[in-house]
Amino acid sequence: HKYPVMVIDKNKARSSSKSGGDYYLQVTPWTHQSEPISIEVSSNKYNNVEKGDTVIVHTREGLLGVSWYYIEQ
């Protein structure tokens, strides 16, 4: 499934590794949840998206019926 969602915030978690940290976009929920959802993204995606932009979330059913999701690059 694909869901258009709005980016409501951006966060970078600092890391001591060479990667420089982890990048997250906080987006509007696409399910019955009322709380925003934070999704890890590449540094490239993080740098090319602004608050208020619309991105596409893809959801997949994983092993044992556990759903997972990612933001379209």
Side-chain angles (χ1 to χ4, degrees):
H1 295 92
K2 295 180 183 182
Y3 302 95
V5 297
M6 184 172 58
V7 176
I8 55 177
D9 204 1
K10 296 169 59 171
N11 300 293
K12 181 179 177 186
R14 299 260 181 233
S15 172
S16 59
S17 72
K18 290 182 180 179
S19 68
D22 298 318
Y23 301 87
Y24 297 90
L25 298 179
Q26 191 172 46
V27 300
T28 54
W30 60 90
T31 65
H32 60 278
Q33 287 184 231
S34 60
E35 295 294 315
I37 298 168
S38 187
I39 302 176
E40 187 172 2
V41 295
S42 68
S43 60
N44 187 49
K45 184 68 170 180
Y46 180 88
N47 291 324
N48 288 312
V49 173
E50 298 298 329
K51 291 180 189 179
D53 286 354
T54 298
V55 295
I56 305 297
V57 169
H58 292 257
T59 62
R60 301 278 190 255
E61 182 139 341
L63 190 62
L64 304 175
V66 177
S67 296
W68 58 279
Y69 49 86
Y70 63 94
I71 291 181
E72 183 173 291
Q73 296 294 326

